[in-house]
Amino acid sequence: MPPINRTLASVEQFPTERDGQFVGLGPQLYRVERPWGRLPAGLSYLGISDVTVLPSGNVAVVVRGDPAVLIFAPDGSLVDRWSCPDIVAGHFIRASASGQILLSDFDGHRIHCFNEAGRREWVLGARDRPRFGEPFNHPTDAVEAPDGDVFVSDGYGNSCIHRFDANGKWLATWGRPGTGPLEFSTPHAITVDPLGRLVVADRENNRLQVISRDGCWLGEIRGVFKPMAVEPAPGGFLLVTDQTPRLSLFNSAGELVGRCRTFGTVGHGLARGPDGSIYIAEMGPDMLTRLAPVGAL
């Protein structure tokens, strides 16, 4: 048998073992940084639930142990802490381009909106007033569309998606318990993808459902195990964490184009920064992980 010729890249092109741990996702190589974020004495990630990147570039983290939102600068230094004693159990937090920051309180049955200074602007729902089939019954996530409409996954007590206008008027509700189109078993997270479609992590059905803004079913993405969080990425891509635990990258057609593991037991929350960094709110142990891009594979 003739010798096999292989062309190997020079090892100098790649980080070395002493540089730490690395994962690949699609064409990109990332350095694993965990725990990320420098906490002063007396603060911890106990009860970490989610993470988002604010328009300023700062990183906001929800913790439930002592209800608060921790604000980090891009270099990992803590720059602010919003005490949130009125939040019963913070679940997901999402920042929009308009500067609004939506925080879902799943056991308080409410969606809170903050500005980037930490001042609460408005609230949807009523504390201690769960409503079966209507807003809200343990809501899980909320996202603002570019035109200001707000979509909420009402996912622990209800199995539906609600739509509100920019003034908080309830416009529509879609979904019911089940396994078919527009049927849900724990709609755990919701986002608006770069094509303007709603993408819902239908956790116990092991799929993502893709829905139009008017509530029409457009399709589903399979190949995930209990998806937890979903985050849009440039080029029509989607980042998804699940309970394997792993992080998956799908293209706009729903095709899997990359996958790596997360390093905790559950990657509960997920965000992407403007520099391409990926932040994962890990549970078990409670920790914030950053995947920092270091170059192409």
Side-chain angles (χ1 to χ4, degrees), residues 117-140:
R119 185 177 67 249
R120 184 159 37 196
E121 300 286 347
W122 49 259
V123 178
L124 296 177
R127 179 169 176 165
D128 304 327
R129 293 294 183 269
R131 303 173 66 187
F132 185 68
E134 298 182 3
F136 298 111
N137 192 1
H138 304 282
T140 52

Side-chain angles (χ1 to χ4, degrees), residues 71-114:
I71 308 296
F72 295 91
D75 66 1
S77 59
L78 184 71
V79 295
D80 202 357
R81 178 183 181 276
W82 307 344
S83 180
C84 302
D86 195 36
I87 302 293
V88 180
H91 196 253
F92 277 142
I93 185 170
R94 287 193 182 271
S96 67
S98 72
Q100 292 194 136
I101 301 156
L102 303 181
L103 195 160
S104 52
D105 180 1
F106 70 103
D107 281 346
H109 312 290
R110 295 189 292 178
I111 304 298
H112 302 257
C113 177
F114 296 87

Side-chain angles (χ1 to χ4, degrees), residues 48-63:
I48 188 172
S49 182
D50 195 21
V51 57
T52 194
V53 179
L54 307 180
S56 65
N58 286 343
V59 178
V61 177
V62 176
V63 291

Side-chain angles (χ1 to χ4, degrees), residues 136-177:
F136 298 111
N137 192 1
H138 304 282
T140 52
D141 196 8
V143 63
E144 181 189 351
D147 64 356
D149 280 5
V150 172
F151 297 86
V152 178
S153 55
D154 202 359
Y156 281 122
N158 284 330
S159 298
C160 55
I161 306 301
H162 307 291
R163 180 180 182 177
F164 298 84
D165 69 13
N167 296 314
K169 180 183 178 181
W170 177 26
L171 299 177
T173 292
W174 317 303
R176 62 183 181 181

Side-chain angles (χ1 to χ4, degrees), residues 11-20 22 29-31 294-296:
V11 295
E12 283 77 16
Q13 295 178 10
F14 297 96
T16 63
E17 183 178 345
R18 64 179 176 271
D19 292 322
F22 295 85
L29 183 69
Y30 297 86
R31 176 182 287 109
V294 295

Side-chain angles (χ1 to χ4, degrees), residues 254-269:
E255 299 167 333
L256 180 68
V257 295
R259 178 166 278 166
C260 65
R261 79 182 190 93
T262 60
F263 289 80
T265 303
V266 175
H268 190 271

